[in-house]
Amino acid sequence: MQTLFEPADPAVAIELAQKVIALADRCKEKFGAMPAFMEVCGSHTMALAKTGVKLILQGHVNLISGPGCPVCVTDQKQIDAMIEVAESDSRIVCTFGDMMRVPGSKRSLLSAKTEGRDVRIVYSPLDAVRIAEENPEKEVVFLGVGFETTVPVLAAAIQMAAHKNINNFSMWATTKLVQPVLRTLLSVKKVKINGFLLPGHVSIVLGEQAYRFLIDEFRMPGVISGFEPVEMLSAIYKLLKMVDEGRPEIINNYKSVVRAGGNKTAQKMMNEFFQPCDESWRGIGMISKSGLEIREKYSRFNAKEKFSIKIGEPKKTPCRCGDMICGLASPEECVLFGKACTPLHPVGPCMVSTEGSCAAHYAYMRKEG
């Protein structure tokens, strides 16, 4: 057995890994196929690869990366539009660092910055509000990309701008919701999985009850997990137990931070400033009510309404990020992976995002040669 990871308690982790492998092999023999589970959190994608858990379980459990990286699931038209926002001398564009090197059809935010555009990395949307306050002669636009984990913070930025009456601040929001995309993946039935490793961060906001539909509508088990090796192995073991016993449930394996009903304060913030909208996902297309847009009451902070941004059809490439987001391909099945597409010269967002499946595979699981 390979032991790449260095958990706090290696003896526990190794023993648990051995139990997972034994139970996975029993399931494989019993059902005639290797058990397959999908993680829908970019932090899980990176943690499973970085800690060696994915490598250790290779050949026993098929761990499939799904639509969990917020940068990766943002469709190319939105990426191109956000880069276009930065093309004006009268604007300052603020973003999380993940977005800087995501390739657009013409260029990235980083290349726009290199050529003189004012693009700034911030650690919080609230920093963008402060920048707007300090630069009243410029329009400051924050690029709001993220899942339910990020939306309350986006709401807090709008709340602050409204409270301070800062009208040169706005937000280009392309947020995504977990429940609609899981329902879509299971409804189209293209990817074959036996359960979900459910996101730890998003679940803090949503709570474990939010996944009840997986059982009621699809009889699909799910386990909410943390990000340490023992936590992820424990979650995978519980998924295997449910598969073995034919007893699907939603298990909260991250009770130290995830409550049954989630974070009510965060949910209230989301509902105050945002409302459901249709969103287009890379590799999937439009999903009804799968995103959140800024409410009409706060439309003066909506950059999509404030600026007239026109873009053409995105440039087509052989990049298979869309297939990987849907769990239909692995990074090494993309002809560009590790050749035309590398972290230094990314073709798709999955290679450049710190939570992307290609970035994780390239850094920790790539076959040399």
Side-chain angles (χ1 to χ4, degrees):
M1 177 187 295
Q2 299 179 67
T3 52
L4 288 181
F5 60 76
E6 297 179 358
D9 191 337
V12 173
I14 290 170
E15 183 180 348
L16 192 49
Q18 290 170 337
K19 290 178 68 174
V20 168
I21 288 171
L23 183 53
D25 290 347
R26 193 169 83 202
C27 287
K28 182 179 178 181
E29 186 176 347
K30 183 175 180 179
F31 300 107
M34 188 189 305
F37 303 121
M38 174 179 277
E39 84 267 6
V40 286
C41 169
S43 296
H44 275 149
T45 298
M46 191 55 70
L48 286 165
K50 185 176 182 179
T51 59
V53 168
K54 192 165 186 174
L55 201 56
I56 287 168
L57 300 185
Q58 212 167 43
H60 306 281
V61 180
N62 187 12
L63 294 174
I64 301 170
S65 298
C69 163
V71 171
C72 305
V73 301
T74 302
D75 83 341
Q76 195 61 48
K77 274 194 171 181
Q78 286 295 318
I79 295 291
D80 289 346
M82 287 187 278
I83 295 171
E84 188 65 27
V85 171
E87 297 293 351
S88 169
D89 289 334
S90 64
R91 296 182 201 132
I92 299 172
V93 166
C94 298
T95 178
F96 293 134
D98 252 18
M99 286 292 295
M100 288 297 286
R101 296 178 62 242
V102 175
S105 293
K106 296 177 181 175
R107 60 177 176 171
S108 65
L109 286 170
L110 182 61
S111 59
K113 181 179 176 64
T114 303
E115 292 173 21
R117 301 307 181 195
D118 197 343
V119 183
R120 306 184 189 185
I121 296 175
V122 294
Y123 294 101
S124 163
L126 301 179
D127 293 338
V129 179
R130 177 183 53 76
I131 291 170
E133 199 171 17
E134 294 170 351
N135 297 271
E137 76 287 1
K138 295 283 187 81
E139 287 288 339
V140 176
V141 183
F142 180 76
L143 307 181
V145 174
F147 283 93
E148 290 93 334
T149 319
T150 307
V151 177
V153 188
L154 302 181
I158 297 173
Q159 183 184 48
M160 178 184 282
H163 177 71
K164 293 189 171 186
N165 199 27
I166 300 174
N167 291 315
N168 64 323
F169 169 81
S170 60
M171 184 178 294
W172 192 283
T174 58
T175 60
K176 300 288 191 295
L177 302 176
V178 168
Q179 290 165 301
V181 75
L182 295 187
R183 187 174 272 112
T184 298
L185 284 176
L186 293 175
S187 297
V188 298
K189 299 179 180 177
K190 285 186 178 178
V191 62
K192 306 297 182 188
I193 57 172
N194 301 103
F196 284 109
L197 191 67
L198 294 169
H201 296 147
V202 164
S203 300
I204 293 172
V205 176
L206 294 182
E208 64 180 277
Q209 293 172 354
Y211 306 106
R212 186 65 210 174
F213 74 95
L214 293 174
I215 303 301
D216 296 340
E217 298 177 29
F218 303 100
R219 288 189 57 76
M220 180 65 65
V223 178
I224 300 168
S225 175
F227 303 91
E228 292 297 319
V230 169
E231 292 173 325
M232 294 184 291
L233 286 166
S234 171
I236 294 166
Y237 184 79
K238 288 178 179 176
L239 281 167
L240 286 166
K241 284 281 287 181
M242 288 190 279
V243 170
D244 184 39
E245 296 169 2
R247 180 183 46 82
E249 293 179 31
I250 300 301
I251 296 176
N252 181 0
N253 212 39
Y254 201 30
K255 288 186 176 178
S256 57
V257 293
V258 176
R259 301 172 187 166
N263 185 322
K264 299 298 183 187
T265 302
Q267 293 168 13
K268 185 178 178 183
M269 284 290 286
M270 290 169 63
N271 292 331
E272 167 64 24
F273 293 93
F274 290 89
Q275 62 188 14
C277 68
D278 300 344
E279 271 286 341
S280 183
W281 297 60
R282 186 184 295 268
I284 300 174
M286 193 66 74
I287 302 178
S288 175
K289 307 298 181 189
S290 65
L292 294 172
E293 63 182 3
I294 297 170
R295 286 190 180 277
E296 180 66 27
K297 181 180 177 183
Y298 301 100
S299 62
R300 67 185 186 280
F301 301 111
N302 188 343
K304 292 180 179 177
E305 295 188 11
K306 198 169 191 177
F307 307 111
S308 177
I309 301 297
K310 295 180 180 177
I311 54 167
E313 284 300 309
K315 176 183 173 185
K316 292 185 178 179
T317 75
C319 170
R320 296 192 68 185
C321 279
D323 288 339
M324 277 175 262
I325 288 163
C326 299
L328 301 176
S330 67
E332 302 228 5
E333 289 178 294
C334 177
V335 295
L336 304 179
F337 180 79
K339 302 180 182 79
C341 184
T342 66
L344 281 179
H345 301 286
V347 177
C350 295
M351 181 60 88
V352 70
S353 170
T354 55
E355 294 188 338
S357 55
C358 292
H361 199 92
Y362 189 92
Y364 303 110
M365 298 185 68
R366 180 167 51 109
K367 294 173 185 172
E368 300 291 344

